[in-house]
């Protein structure tokens, strides 16, 4: 429909009445109520041009703040169950009261605070007593004076009477004074009654038990002292705020965020003070308070996390008391936790590994604590770990902590190299099958040989897994707790660790070692091989990217820059706000960002276990291993895999003086000898297992069965003995 507007400047006589009538005839009759309803409904795609108010145009922007509650769009196409899930319900109990940890922390904090205030005043009590003794009599007489003054009702219309006297209006003055006297009469009655009550009270106290008099004195004297003291001289001293906890309030958070010199925040807040909002009330969380903050549109929580120092400065708190983190929900949501006290002053609970309990590596075990002192659990099975950080960041201690946990699972075999040469891991020697320490060529060569062996071990294990999978014992083609516990399965957890791996990677063995280790990391996860790597320099020469890419658990302690941070935590970690650059080495040793457990990453501090405590844990681990029958741990020689056993086992089960034997007959005999290893083996599997021994040739072996010639695949005894001799020769040559 087009509408023609009358031109205000044209002559009314020129008006085209016919055209106007046609227009009106073509127009709809509008039902006003329906039109209003339609206007209230949101525009739909079929309604491309939403109605606009007269005073809006294409440039108009609605900058009114979004309503505080409820979704802006009631999107009807979102299924109801999702909407219900999205609706956040406030917990019935406050966070701190819902967990025993939170409750304990809150009680502890309040008690500590109350204790502090009490002690503060107790020390000053003689001074308070002296001040009270001076001001109480003053208060007594001042009280009497005030009572008399009130009873005379002088103050009520004093100004009016003065004015009447000044004007010489005696009548008015007399009337006003009569009014004062009337008021004064009942007030004197009140004073009289109060005096009587006082006399009765004193009499009662005089005849009552002594403690009544003390109690009365304890109440009345301080009361009189506070009435008597000058307004600017309180009896008690102010408890200094000093560095005590600064309670997190919305105002404090807003002020801190606007002090970060972030243009996006400041301009948004200037336009709308509610641009920083709090989807959940600030509440207690462990030993501190947490504020979940929705930052202004377009500001990412990660940007705030990088300015942790400025944030702490704006809040006038030490750095390690302020813990901003990206919060789940969207990238603009920040979780700002502020502790009651700096993390460095908070006592970390003792490491749970110090208890006598065994560890089951298939289950999570305590590894660290959050700033809130919550325990953080880590896992080792099906995982590889990378620890990175600058000197003094605490990576050796953190890596050692995992080994201590592994030592308490008697099924676990531990082998590794410390390429720094200081002996931080020597304490673990009693439980390690292999240990090397140093950065000399010999140690590096041994370390490289170990990696080669690991690769072979991975291949051997994959065959074993295949075998057990065929027997239905490895449903997911990976090591299960049952297989790991099965003696002789060769599938127990094998922890292979390397501290300061950059020493090997930058040596002449580096290239090959890197390639092999990458393969082991890829293969070993399902096979029970756990690789733990500690490194100071995480650049691509010191740690091939093939390795970093395939590691699934990362602990990044204090690092100097973004590159190091992202090499350890993965690309974009820094951008996403996971920044271990905020930790100071040495002062904040043990603090780092843990990634690989759940979504995102968290700032944690690994449990601190010094060498003396580590020795205690190792002693316990030795006891557990002795009881389990695997001390001295696992054979120190590396070639302990069943393939080598196959030759020995075949020699053991060889049937009498036979010159040759069928594979299937041998499989049956092997299964009798070691059912856990050979049960279910078929002729072809034995053929495959013997492939790595060229001396043993699998060929057709003829026999007569019931007088008839039968030919099957088999091996010759002489070949077997030759293969064993060759292997032994190789071994003794090293
Ligand atoms: N979780 C922790 N809590 C408190 N202090 C710790 C923690 N971990 C380590 N430390 C302290 O930090 C010091 C350095 O730790 P560590 O030797 O593990 O650092 P590093 O990163 O391996 O350094 P470097 O590369 O120089 O050996 C330790 O001596 C220890 O006192």
């Amino acid at each position: 429909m087009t509408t023609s507007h009358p031109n205000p400047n044209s002559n009314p006589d020129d008006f085209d009445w016919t055209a106007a009538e046609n227009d009106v005839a073509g127009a709809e009759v509008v039902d006003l109520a329906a039109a209003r309803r339609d206007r209230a409904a949101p525009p739909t795609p079929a309604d491309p041009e939403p109605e606009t108010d007269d005073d809006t145009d294409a440039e108009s922007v609605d900058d009114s703040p979004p309503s505080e509650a409820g979704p802006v769009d009631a999107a009807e196409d979102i299924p109801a169950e999702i909407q219900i899930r999205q609706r956040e319900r406030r917990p019935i109990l406050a966070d701190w009261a819902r967990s025993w940890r939170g409750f304990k922390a809150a009680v502890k904090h309040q008690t500590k605070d109350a204790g502090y205030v009490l002690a503060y005043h107790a020390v000053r009590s003689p001074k308070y007593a002296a001040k009270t003794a001076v001001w109480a009599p003053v208060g007594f007489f001042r009280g009497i004076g005030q009572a008399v003054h009130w009873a005379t009702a002088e103050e009520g219309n004093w100004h009016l009477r003065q004015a009447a006297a000044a004007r010489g209006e005696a009548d008015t003055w007399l009337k006003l004074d009569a009014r004062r006297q009337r008021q004064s009469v009942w007030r004197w009655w009140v004073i009289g009654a109060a005096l009587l009550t006082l006399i009765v009270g004193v009499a009662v106290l005089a005849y009552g038990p002594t403690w009544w008099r003390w109690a009365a004195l304890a109440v009345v004297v301080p009361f009189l002292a506070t009435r008597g003291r000058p307004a600017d001289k309180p009896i008690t001293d102010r408890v200094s705020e000093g560095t005590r906890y600064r309670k997190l309030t919305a105002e404090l958070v807003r002020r801190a965020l606007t002090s970060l010199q972030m243009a996006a925040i400041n301009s948004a807040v200037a336009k709308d003070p509610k641009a920083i909002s709090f989807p959940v009330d600030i509440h207690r969380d462990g030993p501190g308070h947490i504020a979940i903050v929705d930052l202004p549109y377009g500001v990412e929580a990660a940007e705030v996390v990088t300015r942790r120092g400025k944030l702490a400065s704006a809040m006038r708190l030490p750095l390690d008391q302020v813990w901003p983190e990206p919060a789940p929900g969207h990238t603009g949501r920040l979780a700002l936790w502020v502790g009651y006290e700096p993390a460095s002053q908070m006592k970390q609970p003792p490491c749970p590994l110090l208890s006598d309990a065994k560890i089951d590596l298939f289950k999570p075990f305590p590894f660290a604590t959050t700033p809130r002192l919550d325990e953080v659990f880590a896992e080792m099975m099906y995982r590889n770990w990378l620890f990175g950080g600058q000197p003094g960041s605490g990576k050796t201690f953190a890596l050692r902590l995992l080994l201590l946990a592994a030592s308490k699972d008697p099924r676990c075999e531990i082998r590794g190299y410390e390429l720094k040469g200081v002996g931080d891991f020597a304490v673990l020697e009693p439980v390690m099958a292999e240990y090397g320490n140093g950065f000399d060529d010999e140690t590096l060569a041994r370390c490289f040989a170990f990696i080669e062996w690991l690769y072979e071990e991975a291949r051997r294990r994959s065959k074993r897994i295949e075998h057990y999978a065929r027997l239905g014992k490895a449903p997911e083609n990976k090591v299960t707790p049952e297989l790991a516990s099965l003696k002789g399965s060769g599938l127990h957890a094998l922890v292979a660790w390397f501290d300061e791996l950059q020493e090997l990677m930058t040596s002449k063995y580096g290239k090959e070692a890197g390639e092999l280790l990458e393969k082991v990391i890829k293969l070993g996860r399902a096979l029970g091989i756990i690789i733990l790597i500690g490194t100071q320099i995480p650049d691509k020469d010191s740690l091939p990217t093939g390795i970093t890419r395939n590691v699934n658990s990362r602990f990044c302690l204090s690092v100097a820059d973004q590159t190091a941070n992202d090499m350890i935590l993965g690309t974009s970690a820094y951008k996403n706000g996971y920044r271990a650059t905020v930790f100071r080495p040495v002062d904040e040793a043990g603090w780092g960002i843990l990634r690989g457990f759940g979504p995102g990453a968290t700032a944690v501090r690994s449990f601190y276990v010094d060498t003396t405590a580590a020795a205690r844990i190792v002693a316990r681990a030795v006891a557990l291993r002795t009881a389990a029958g695997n001390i001295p741990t696992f054979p120190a020689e590396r070639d302990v895999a069943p393939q080598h056993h196959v030759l020995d086992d075949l020699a053991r089960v060889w049937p009498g003086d036979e010159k040759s034997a069928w594979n299937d007959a041998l499989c049956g005999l092997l299964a009798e000898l070691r059912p856990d290893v050979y049960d279910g083996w078929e002729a072809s599997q034995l053929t495959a297992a013997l492939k790595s021994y060229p001396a043993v040739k699998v060929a057709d072996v003829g026999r007569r069965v019931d007088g008839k010639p039968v030919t099957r695949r088999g091996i010759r005894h002489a070949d077997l003995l030759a293969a064993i001799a060759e292997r032994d020769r190789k071994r003794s040559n090293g």
Side-chain angles (χ1 to χ4, degrees), residues 390-397 420 500 536 589-590 605-608:
Q390 50 190 323
S393 58
K395 62 186 172 314
T396 302
F397 273 52
K420 189 162 55 173
E500 309 292 358
Q536 239 177 52
R605 179 192 213 172
S606 58
F607 276 112
Y608 178 61

Side-chain angles (χ1 to χ4, degrees), residues 131 136 154 185 305 346 390 599 605 698:
K131 276 175 148 183
E154 272 298 335
V185 172
V305 174
M346 272 161 64
Q390 50 190 323
R605 179 192 213 172
V698 181

